[in-house]
Amino acid sequence: MRDVGASGAVAAPDGEDGDRQFVTALARGLQVLRAFRDAAETLGNREIAARTGLPKPTVSRLTHTLLTLGYLVHDDGERYGLGPAVLALSAAFLRQNSFPQLARPHLQDLATAVQAHVALGLLDGVHSVYIQLWRGAGQTITLSREVGFHLPLARSVMGMAMLAGMEEGERGAMIERLRRDSPAEDRPRLDATIARCLREVEEHGFCVGVGVWHRDINAVAAPVHSPGARGLFAVNVSGPAFLLTETVLRTDTGPKLLAAMARMRALGIVD
């Protein structure tokens, strides 16, 4: 959904310049929707303008239109949230793409087995977006994440797993884009993380992130390919660093993730 540059603003969609078939007004309306980082967030016109880079008068017209059509809702003040029409589009996507539904019981079992958060993510520009999220039955420590939450590819182990799942040419182009969008001082860290995670996926089937996204959260992730599914997916297991230590991730959580993938592969759910 969102494509955010180094400045934090939602980047203008590709194809706007010089494409006579490109509808700029529609693209700007979609930029407004992409400014919302999760389903529960509310934003005012000033915040939306800052995130999208669009002029505030333009944002005001767009939010009014999207509100009228049900893609946004208004709270008691001057803030907007995502509306039911967005949910209807999400439901249509899930109906057309059966993979998340088929994977659901297996990933819920995984969440219960590891007592951690399990997320199914879908590639979205330079981010991965959570399209399904499970917590273990009886899990006592939870993270404040929701369906629709975006993780930057450059700063998450789920993003590294998605890079590993790409075709070589696509991966090279994406890595160049991530490096271009990263501050120069961050590029050595990014290069080292990418190299390590690609190697781990090749050797073990999953990659480990120790404080990659947040210093207090560790994770393990693996790319997922499903026959007939639209888009590039990855499964991410995350939790507090004091519980999911690097040793636990490598010797217990990661192998359990691979076992869940193997069960789905035996049923033809994943390749």
Side-chain angles (χ1 to χ4, degrees):
M1 292 173 61
R2 298 187 305 128
D3 189 359
V4 182
S7 66
V10 180
D14 294 337
E16 184 170 353
D17 296 333
D19 186 347
R20 297 179 63 184
Q21 297 296 314
F22 191 86
V23 182
T24 300
L26 174 59
R28 289 177 175 175
L30 294 174
Q31 277 184 271
V32 169
L33 295 178
R34 292 180 177 185
F36 291 83
R37 291 174 177 159
D38 60 58
E41 185 174 43
T42 61
L43 298 173
N45 284 334
R46 186 181 301 276
E47 292 164 293
I48 294 172
R51 289 189 182 183
T52 61
L54 296 172
K56 190 171 180 290
T58 300
V59 170
S60 297
R61 294 193 299 271
L62 291 169
T63 53
H64 172 77
T65 302
L66 292 167
L67 178 68
T68 302
L69 295 174
Y71 289 96
L72 293 179
V73 293
H74 217 181
D75 65 9
D76 294 335
E78 295 297 324
R79 302 181 70 79
Y80 298 90
L82 295 177
V86 175
L87 179 61
L89 289 176
S90 300
F93 168 80
L94 292 176
R95 285 195 300 270
Q96 294 172 9
N97 193 335
S98 62
F99 167 58
Q101 306 307 315
L102 294 173
R104 178 191 298 270
H106 302 280
L107 297 181
Q108 177 61 70
D109 287 347
L110 174 62
T112 298
V114 298
Q115 286 294 288
H117 292 73
V118 174
L120 179 63
L122 177 66
L123 180 66
D124 179 21
V126 292
H127 289 76
S128 54
V129 56
Y130 283 4
I131 62 171
Q132 297 281 0
L133 181 65
W134 298 269
R135 295 177 175 89
Q139 185 177 339
T140 56
I141 299 177
T142 62
L143 304 177
S144 57
R145 299 291 167 259
E146 304 288 345
V147 170
F149 176 69
H150 279 75
L151 275 170
L153 296 186
R155 294 188 58 84
S156 66
V157 71
M158 177 179 271
M160 297 296 106
M162 286 186 171
L163 286 177
M166 293 178 183
E167 297 291 338
E168 187 172 350
E170 181 186 10
R171 181 191 306 133
M174 179 61 76
I175 290 174
E176 285 304 310
R177 183 176 181 184
L178 296 179
R179 296 188 81 256
R180 186 174 64 248
D181 290 347
S182 297
E185 61 271 20
D186 288 349
R187 289 172 190 163
R189 176 204 57 81
L190 175 62
D191 292 341
T193 302
I194 290 173
R196 175 182 62 80
C197 288
L198 293 181
R199 183 175 64 252
E200 289 182 0
V201 171
E202 182 177 4
E203 294 177 355
H204 307 297
F206 60 83
C207 55
V208 167
V210 176
V212 173
W213 177 71
H214 188 286
R215 64 181 183 180
D216 296 325
I217 298 174
N218 293 343
V220 61
V224 182
H225 297 280
S226 179
R230 301 176 184 178
L232 177 61
F233 297 88
V235 175
N236 184 79
V237 183
S238 61
F242 69 91
L243 290 177
L244 292 186
T245 64
E246 182 173 2
T247 298
V248 170
L249 291 173
R250 294 190 184 280
T251 63
D252 183 74
T253 314
K256 286 178 178 175
L257 169 57
L258 293 184
M261 300 274 285
R263 288 191 291 271
M264 289 191 286
R265 188 172 297 110
L267 296 172
I269 298 172
V270 302
D271 291 333

